[in-house]
Amino acid sequence: MFLIINIIKDGGPTFMIPLLLIIFIMIGLLIVALAQKKDPKKMSQLIGHFSLFGMIWGFLGSTIGLISAFDAIQAVDNVATPLVAGGLKVALLTTLFGFVTFLIGRVCMIVIALKTK
């Protein structure tokens, strides 16, 4: 549990918390789709939209993180390698979390598709 909290803090709560909320929403939509007998295709499409939004949100966070890291590097004359590595790690955490969000959404869509057949 502490590992997830540290990853969220390192990646920046502005981007990581919405991605976590999107994961919870997609899992909730999966549960609703499996519980109801109505049109599960709508839920699958909605999960697909959330997963794509999560992936793009992760890319946006990564891009903003990289721009911030490069601004900090530009402001300092002599940059230490750990500073650069730390900045790149933080920037890539949101991309990774966005990919995980996308994969969870796609797995949910596969489960719904298997249930309907």
Side-chain angles (χ1 to χ4, degrees):
M1 184 67 174
F2 291 114
L3 178 65
I4 293 174
I5 293 171
N6 285 337
I7 290 173
I8 289 172
K9 283 175 29 180
D10 285 345
T14 304
F15 288 95
M16 299 293 272
I17 290 175
L19 287 171
L20 191 61
L21 290 174
I22 289 171
I23 290 173
F24 290 143
I25 289 169
M26 289 187 306
I27 292 172
L29 289 172
L30 173 66
I31 292 169
V32 169
L34 294 176
Q36 71 180 6
K37 302 296 182 199
K38 296 180 186 173
D39 191 16
K41 194 169 190 167
K42 278 186 175 180
M43 290 295 182
S44 181
Q45 289 174 345
L46 192 55
I47 290 171
H49 292 309
F50 273 112
S51 70
L52 284 172
F53 179 79
M55 186 171 67
I56 297 303
W57 188 255
F59 277 133
L60 179 65
S62 179
T63 304
I64 291 172
L66 285 172
I67 290 170
S68 299
F70 290 141
D71 281 344
I73 291 169
Q74 185 180 12
V76 178
D77 288 335
N78 194 4
V79 179
T81 307
L83 179 68
V84 175
L88 292 175
K89 177 189 131 186
V90 168
L92 291 175
L93 279 174
T94 56
T95 303
L96 176 65
F97 214 61
F99 281 146
V100 168
T101 303
F102 180 77
L103 288 174
I104 289 172
R106 294 298 152 164
V107 167
C108 291
M109 291 172 67
I110 291 170
V111 169
I112 292 172
L114 290 174
K115 184 228 177 212
T116 57
K117 291 186 179 199

